[in-house]
């Protein structure tokens, strides 16, 4: 059975490719190149995306800095809660 299959595969490999199958790669690459945007458009989109990301980062960073300075003062209240730590509650802190 395997020998028959091997012989069939060898015979198929020896046959030349049909002309239509032989051109598939070139046709696909041609269609990909045609679908790509023009090079002049790509830098404009990239520059716009970078500008938007920079503006969003500055906005979020500025807001986080303003909120962070207010929460730093209120975080000192958490220091008193150390007696509620599991190690203290389970007798490890004695």
């Amino acid at each position: 059975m395997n020998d028959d299959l091997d012989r069939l595969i060898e015979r198929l490999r020896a046959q030349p490719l049909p002309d239509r199958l032989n051109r598939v790669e070139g046709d696909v690459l041609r269609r990909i190149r045609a679908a790509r945007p023009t090079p002049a458009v790509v830098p404009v989109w990239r520059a716009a995306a970078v500008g938007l990301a920079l503006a969003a980062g500055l906005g979020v960073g500025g807001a986080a800095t303003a909120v962070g300075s207010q929460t730093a003062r209120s975080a000192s209240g958490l220091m008193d809660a150390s007696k509620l730590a599991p190690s203290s509650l389970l007798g490890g802190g004695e």
Side-chain angles (χ1 to χ4, degrees):
M1 176 79 172
N2 280 341
D3 291 337
D4 293 337
L5 186 59
D6 288 339
R7 272 187 246 126
L8 286 172
I9 291 174
E10 285 298 323
R11 202 174 338 150
L12 185 61
R13 186 187 315 171
Q15 293 178 357
L17 278 177
D19 190 42
R20 199 177 100 194
L21 283 178
N22 213 8
R23 293 187 317 236
V24 167
E25 184 178 2
D27 292 344
V28 169
L29 290 175
R30 222 173 291 112
R31 288 178 62 191
I32 290 172
R33 280 188 217 108
R36 285 186 181 161
T38 58
V41 174
V42 175
V44 173
W45 283 106
R46 285 185 185 164
V50 167
L52 182 63
L54 184 60
L58 288 174
V60 170
T65 303
V67 171
S69 62
Q70 293 172 359
T71 55
R73 287 186 226 122
S74 65
S76 62
L78 294 177
M79 299 300 175
D80 298 331
S82 62
K83 58 186 166 201
L84 297 176
S87 58
S88 299
L89 293 174
L90 295 174
E94 296 175 4

